[in-house]
Amino acid sequence: MNKTALYNKHVSLGAKIVPFAGFEMPVQYSGVTEEHFAVREKVGIFDVSHMGQFYVEGASAKDLLQYVTSNNVENLENGKAQYSCLPNGNGGIVDDLIVYKIEDEKYFVVVNASNIEKDWNHISAYNEKFGAKMTNVSEETSLIAIQGPKATETLQKLTETNLSEIPYYHFTVGSVAGVENVIISNTGYTGSGGFEIYFKNEFAEKLWDELTVAGEEFGLIPCGLAARDTLRLEKGFCLYGNDIDDTTSPLEAGLGWITKFDKEFVDKEFLLKQKEEGISRKLVGFEMQEKAIPRHDYLVVDAEGNEIGKVTSGTMSPMKKIGVGLAYVAAPHYKLGSEIFIQIRNKNIPAKVVKLPFV
C-alpha cells in the first residue's frame, strides 16, 4: 500500500487508517459527525495527497486536452480551473478531473487516486497523435484541502497572496508559510468553500502543522475520508466508482453542463445522439420519507415493486438528519417530486426525488 507524506502525522493524531485507492488513508479522527460540522460551520483540514497530478505542456497541449475532455478548454484563461470528464470512447466515463491552465501551453490536470494509471494510459494513447509533453508528478506532489467558512481566514495568515482576489475555480501560484511555488486553488469537494494547495512532498508536515496552528482560533480540526464523503454527498457531488464510471454517460450523470458540443471530442457523436433522443435513466438525488439509511447498490423500485434503478451513494445527512442518496432511476420516475422506493432488508421504504443539493 502507498502512503502519503503525511501518513505518520495521521497515525500520531490517532486517525483510523483504512486502505483506499491503493493508499493507507485516514478515514476519521474525532468522528465523522464532528468533522462534518467543523467543515460546515468552521474549518477542517484534509490530506488528499493520494490524488493524481499530470502536467500537459507544449504547442499541442490545449488541442490534446480539448479532444480528450468533455468541457471546452478554450474557455480557460491563465489562472482558471475547469471541472471536466474523460469520455471513454464507448459512451462512459474514464474519470472526472480538474484542468488548470497555468499559462499558455502549460496545463495541470488533477485526477482521482484510483484512476491515476488508467487516466495516464488513456490520455497517452490519444497523445500519440498530438505529441504534447506529459509529466506524471503524482508521487512527488502533496495536496492539502482547507475547507469551511473560516478556511480563507486560516490560510490568509500564512500567505501574502490576497485570497479574496481568487474567485471560485481560479488559482494562483504563490508562497504559503515560506514554501514557494504552491498552487493555491479556490476549489474543493465539500461545498463549504475553501482552498486546496499543491506542493512538493517534503513540505507536507510543515504546512500541515502551520495550518493547524493558524486555524486553532477558528476551531480547525483534521478530517478524514468519511466526512469528505458525507460532505460531498450533501452537495450532490459525484464520486467516481460510485456515481459515475465506465458504464455511465455524462448526460445520464447530470453532467451535461460540462459536456460542450461546440468542439470535437471523444464520444461527441454518441453523446449528441443521446442528447437528441433523450436519456432512459438519470442520476437523481432522493430523500427518505421514513427513518432509514440508503446504501450503495440498494435497489430502487416503483410502487408495484418493479426494479427501476439502483442507489449509487447514500448516507444519513448530518445536516438534515434524514437519509439521502443518489441513484440512477429509469424514466419517467426520475422526474422531480416522483415517489420511489428503496429496498432495504426486503422492505420497500418510500423516498422522494428532490432537487440537488440536499443542503
Side-chain angles (χ1 to χ4, degrees):
M1 298 292 287
N2 295 309
K3 293 179 171 71
T4 72
L6 287 164
Y7 174 80
N8 291 333
K9 179 66 66 178
H10 304 315
V11 172
S12 71
L13 289 168
K16 181 183 177 186
I17 306 289
V18 299
F20 180 80
F23 285 79
E24 300 248 25
M25 294 295 291
V27 67
Q28 65 179 63
Y29 299 83
S30 52
V32 181
T33 305
E34 184 183 346
E35 294 166 28
H36 186 104
F37 277 101
V39 174
R40 284 283 181 255
E41 297 170 352
K42 302 171 192 171
V43 57
I45 183 172
F46 299 81
D47 173 20
V48 274
S49 306
H50 59 315
M51 301 289 279
Q53 297 88 20
F54 312 148
Y55 279 104
V56 182
E57 302 172 75
S60 57
K62 182 175 79 173
D63 292 339
L64 169 63
L65 291 171
Q66 186 74 308
Y67 190 70
V68 298
T69 67
S70 62
N71 212 330
N72 195 337
V73 179
E74 198 73 56
N75 295 333
L76 279 177
E77 55 209 35
N78 295 351
K80 192 172 181 182
Q82 183 182 75
Y83 180 61
S84 193
C85 77
L86 298 170
N88 68 0
N90 298 304
I93 299 171
V94 177
D95 201 5
D96 60 337
L97 71 164
I98 299 179
V99 178
Y100 292 79
K101 186 177 182 187
I102 306 284
E103 57 192 50
D104 290 347
E105 301 188 7
K106 186 174 184 180
Y107 297 83
F108 184 65
V109 177
V110 181
V111 303
N112 283 300
S114 56
N115 291 333
I116 295 171
E117 187 178 358
K118 176 188 172 192
D119 292 0
W120 177 266
N121 292 340
H122 178 82
I123 299 171
S124 295
Y126 285 102
N127 191 37
E128 288 178 14
K129 186 176 99 176
F130 290 91
K133 180 189 174 188
M134 290 175 57
T135 314
N136 185 351
V137 294
S138 305
E139 290 185 7
E140 63 202 57
T141 306
S142 287
L143 167 57
I144 290 176
I146 312 99
Q147 298 283 292
K150 295 293 182 181
T152 303
E153 288 175 77
T154 298
L155 184 58
Q156 190 64 74
K157 289 183 179 185
L158 304 176
T159 182
E160 291 181 5
T161 298
N162 187 343
L163 300 177
S164 67
E165 293 179 355
I166 305 176
Y168 188 49
Y169 262 77
H170 286 68
F171 69 97
T172 190
V173 179
S175 170
V176 178
V179 177
E180 302 293 336
N181 297 314
V182 177
I183 294 177
I184 306 168
S185 174
N186 185 348
T187 47
Y189 194 48
T190 65
S192 283
F195 286 82
E196 295 178 303
I197 57 172
Y198 301 84
F199 50 87
K200 296 277 190 193
N201 287 344
E202 63 204 80
F203 303 112
E205 290 206 7
K206 171 184 166 62
L207 286 172
W208 180 276
D209 290 342
E210 294 261 15
L211 285 161
T212 300
V213 172
E216 201 170 358
E217 68 168 294
F218 306 120
L220 177 145
I221 60 172
C223 304
L225 293 178
R228 186 170 155 88
D229 194 49
T230 55
L231 287 158
R232 69 95 191 169
L233 187 46
E234 283 189 339
K235 293 297 179 180
F237 296 155
C238 290
L239 172 64
Y240 194 89
N242 276 43
D243 313 302
I244 50 176
D245 59 32
D246 278 294
T247 70
T248 60
S249 93
L251 303 184
E252 292 173 335
L255 298 177
W257 62 281
I258 61 164
T259 308
K260 303 296 171 59
F261 294 103
D262 55 351
K263 61 162 200 164
E264 293 304 316
F265 67 99
V266 176
D267 276 346
K268 178 179 179 178
E269 287 72 25
F270 176 95
L271 294 171
L272 201 52
K273 186 167 183 269
Q274 191 177 59
K275 184 182 181 184
E276 288 164 356
E277 292 178 354
I279 50 177
S280 59
R281 64 170 185 164
K282 185 179 177 184
L283 186 68
V284 297
F286 65 87
E287 292 178 352
M288 302 304 298
Q289 301 300 291
E290 295 178 9
K291 192 172 182 181
I293 304 175
R295 297 293 184 199
H296 177 69
D297 271 351
Y298 282 5
L299 291 183
V300 182
V301 298
D302 63 16
E304 284 75 50
N306 303 305
E307 184 180 337
I308 55 169
K310 196 172 274 190
V311 176
T312 56
S313 292
T315 192
M316 174 66 73
S317 162
M319 297 292 284
K320 300 198 83 168
K321 297 180 171 52
I322 57 171
V324 301
L326 299 175
Y328 279 98
V329 177
H333 305 279
Y334 60 57
K335 290 181 179 169
L336 282 180
S338 295
E339 184 180 52
I340 57 176
F341 297 82
I342 312 301
Q343 216 167 71
I344 305 176
R345 288 185 290 279
N346 296 320
K347 286 186 178 175
N348 296 342
I349 314 293
K352 185 180 177 184
V353 176
V354 298
K355 190 173 170 74
L356 293 170
F358 297 109
V359 298

